[in-house]
Amino acid sequence: MSSLRNALRSSVGSKTLMALTGLALLGFVLGHLVGNLQIFAGQEKLNAYAQMLKDSGPLLWGARIGLVVVFVMHIATAIRLTLANRAARPDAYVVQVNQRTTYAARTMLMSGLIVLAFVIFHLLHFTLGVTHPEFAAEGMVDSAGRHDVAKMVVLGFQSIPVSCAYVVAQLLLGLHLMHGVSSLFQSLGVQHPQLAFLERGAGRAVAAVVVIGNCSIPLAILAGFVPEGVVL
Amino acid sequence: MRFKLHVWRQSGPNAKGAMEAHDVDGITPEMSFLEMIDLLNEKLLADGKEPIAFEHDCREGICGACSMVIDGVPHSPERAVTTCQVHMRSFQDGDDIHVEPFRAKAFPVLKDLVVDRDAFDRIIQAGGYVSVNTGGTPDANEIQIPKVAAESAMDAAACIGCGACVAACPNASAMLFTAAKIAHLGQLPQGQVERGARARAMVEQMDAEGFGNCTNHYECMDACPKEIHVEWIARMNRDYLKASLTAKD
């Protein structure tokens, strides 16, 4: 076990850890997106899906705890590596010119921390109803007695500042994914001339899907969209 | 040609350094960058001043001794060259040129542009030995090496260990160097016996030296005078992980 623990703390092992936890978080982001997009299929579909998740009990809690563990590992490793990287160059260059690196790659820590702040706000907003107590109140139920997720989302996104915050956070998440997804192949050792397209295009493709998909909901609601069945 | 050279001057390892400006005149386009510094140093000596300390050896682009950052890029912004192979024709007459030492905690500055790159030697040493049969002189081509493997190993072996990858990396990581050295022997039949142990030992030594971590900026690949590819880093990741997961200790 000691060799495995040492390996995970090494530079190469830490990189693997970043890639694997990032991949797990990406899985959640994509699953969450697919779930959310059901709002376009109407209130019935979305609320039934939300109820199904709520009813999955231990499975739901397992997934939640797993996600928190992965999230904490991803962030803690990133901070540890960033501090080590800063220590590795104590004296800065007077003149430094970058030739290849991207804005997305250079701002991973910042985009990541802003997304973290957004995730906390998002949980307080919709999941826990701290910022908007009416979202978690007894009255937020549909005709079948389920939590009315569709109505809550519509009410939430009718606020222009809230929708703007969501869109900005998604753009930053997209920036984070652009570098993260493209570089996880390299980090995990997947490198082959015939797979070069993955490294070039996967980050942008995934970022585009996530940004467009997630932003479509607040933007549609701001434009006046109300899911079928929602009574405001 | 004439230039205004801004050079990092630092009297010793723990001294505080600063940029110092010098006007250099009478430079011809075919002069190499190092010859331009030679000329400046002669002038400094004639004026009774301390010449600029810099490392150089072969001056034909194969030893990797000439280590400096020119205008923000190791070995200058010109692609695939060492500093000694950069010629003054690459600059415009009257240019301001900035010259600094490689900067990394693991490469401490000794004087002016000279840095201590012993950390690379210690990584190489950590790689250990390659097992070979003893006895009589082996016959030529006794060990069969596929052409593709030989060429690919040579691509990795082209690394001259100059340290430009570390200097260019935003995190001062030595992964391109270490990966090239691991990939070089790891692709040849002679290097198979110790392949996993070598990958682990070299990565551990690299970490112990205080280099940073790779975050896939790929600045190293563009700065490398031998155009070593980052594919070797992916290979090192594979070799290291496989060796660590299957290790018995």
Side-chain angles (χ1 to χ4, degrees):
Chain A
M1 270 314 278
S2 74
S3 78
L4 190 63
R5 202 166 47 235
N6 288 343
L8 283 178
R9 282 199 68 85
S10 74
S11 54
V12 174
S14 304
K15 199 176 182 185
T16 315
L17 211 58
M18 286 307 289
L20 289 177
T21 51
L23 195 61
L25 292 170
L26 172 67
F28 169 74
V29 165
L30 293 176
H32 191 53
L33 168 66
V34 172
N36 288 350
L37 286 177
Q38 294 179 76
I39 196 167
F40 292 110
Q43 183 203 40
E44 169 57 31
K45 196 95 181 193
L46 185 66
N47 288 1
Y49 169 71
Q51 193 63 41
M52 184 269 286
L53 288 183
K54 273 194 169 172
D55 290 342
S56 42
L59 214 60
L60 174 70
W61 279 103
R64 279 178 171 170
I65 292 166
L67 255 179
V68 170
V69 169
V70 165
F71 210 60
V72 168
M73 274 165 73
H74 193 72
I75 296 165
T77 309
I79 291 172
R80 177 167 63 82
L81 291 177
T82 305
L83 292 176
N85 294 346
R86 295 207 175 143
R89 176 160 298 136
D91 302 310
Y93 284 107
V94 177
V95 179
Q96 199 205 353
V97 177
N98 290 317
Q99 303 190 94
R100 178 182 289 261
T101 182
T102 59
Y103 182 74
R106 290 196 307 274
T107 54
M108 285 303 271
L109 189 72
M110 275 325 287
S111 59
L113 288 177
I114 297 170
V115 169
L116 167 66
F118 163 75
V119 169
I120 294 169
F121 167 69
H122 181 49
L123 289 173
L124 295 175
H125 184 214
F126 281 144
T127 312
L128 302 171
V130 173
T131 60
H132 296 70
E134 66 272 21
F135 289 170
E138 296 288 312
M140 190 59 75
V141 287
D142 62 10
S143 54
R146 297 171 300 209
H147 181 49
D148 198 345
V149 177
K151 185 177 171 185
M152 174 183 82
V153 170
V154 174
L155 290 175
F157 286 149
Q158 277 179 344
S159 155
I160 292 174
V162 166
S163 282
C164 284
Y166 271 74
V167 169
V168 169
Q170 291 313 307
L171 290 173
L172 285 166
L173 175 61
L175 196 68
H176 198 74
L177 290 173
M178 251 164 65
H179 179 68
V181 175
S182 278
S183 76
L184 72 84
F185 298 100
Q186 166 83 359
S187 294
L188 294 175
V190 181
Q191 245 280 6
H192 191 276
Q194 288 177 1
L195 293 174
F197 71 94
L198 281 177
E199 221 178 311
R200 275 202 310 271
R204 281 178 206 168
V206 171
V209 167
V210 169
V211 172
I212 295 170
N214 276 333
C215 288
S216 69
I217 301 168
L219 293 178
I221 288 167
L222 275 186
F225 166 76
V226 176
E228 194 189 328
V230 169
V231 186
L232 293 173
Chain B
M1 299 173 92
R2 55 181 303 154
F3 302 98
K4 192 170 189 100
L5 206 62
H6 303 266
V7 196
W8 183 262
R9 301 305 301 265
Q10 184 172 335
S11 58
N14 299 312
K16 205 174 138 52
M19 296 300 263
E20 190 179 274
H22 289 282
D23 287 305
V24 282
D25 208 349
I27 304 297
T28 57
E30 66 273 15
M31 272 186 183
S32 77
F33 199 84
L34 297 185
E35 284 164 344
M36 185 266 298
I37 301 181
D38 288 339
L39 205 74
L40 172 61
N41 275 345
E42 279 173 26
K43 196 178 126 212
L44 288 173
L45 280 170
D47 294 349
K49 290 179 189 156
E50 183 81 8
I52 299 160
F54 66 98
E55 264 192 283
H56 61 104
D57 190 12
C58 73
R59 296 210 179 195
E60 51 187 20
I62 55 171
C63 78
C66 48
S67 53
M68 53 187 86
V69 170
I70 303 169
D71 284 342
V73 182
H75 301 299
S76 94
E78 203 172 319
R79 289 193 69 89
V81 287
T82 53
T83 300
C84 62
Q85 297 299 301
V86 175
H87 295 89
M88 298 318 292
R89 56 176 173 266
S90 309
F91 298 88
Q92 297 291 320
D93 194 19
D95 270 359
D96 275 48
I97 304 173
H98 291 81
V99 190
E100 289 178 74
F102 286 0
R103 293 192 192 277
K105 181 164 160 270
F107 283 172
V109 174
L110 297 177
K111 189 177 182 184
D112 297 342
L113 303 174
V114 181
V115 298
D116 178 355
R117 286 173 288 178
D118 286 357
F120 270 13
D121 294 337
R122 289 189 290 269
I123 294 175
I124 294 286
Q125 282 164 14
Y129 51 83
V130 171
S131 291
V132 289
N133 290 328
T134 54
T137 314
D139 286 338
N141 299 324
E142 191 184 32
I143 301 170
Q144 302 283 306
I145 305 174
K147 168 84 173 154
V148 177
E151 292 287 350
S152 184
M154 191 58 217
D155 286 347
C159 167
I160 53 176
C162 67
C165 44
V166 174
C169 177
N171 309 324
S173 168
M175 283 213 188
L176 191 65
F177 165 78
T178 309
K181 296 306 170 193
I182 290 174
H184 162 199
L185 290 171
Q187 294 182 87
L188 296 172
Q190 297 94 326
Q192 290 312 302
V193 184
E194 298 87 6
R195 181 173 165 183
R198 183 167 48 241
R200 289 179 68 198
M202 291 180 84
V203 168
E204 276 159 25
Q205 187 63 39
M206 171 181 80
D207 291 352
E209 295 291 348
F211 290 106
N213 300 276
C214 172
T215 48
N216 301 330
H217 290 284
Y218 303 157
E219 286 292 323
C220 51
M221 182 160 76
D222 276 22
C224 179
K226 299 298 159 188
E227 301 187 298
I228 303 293
H229 200 276
V230 293
E231 68 179 294
W232 305 126
I233 298 181
R235 187 188 160 96
M236 170 176 71
N237 296 348
R238 288 198 300 272
D239 273 9
Y240 177 81
L241 285 175
K242 188 180 163 202
S244 296
L245 290 172
T246 54
K248 296 285 189 287
D249 55 317

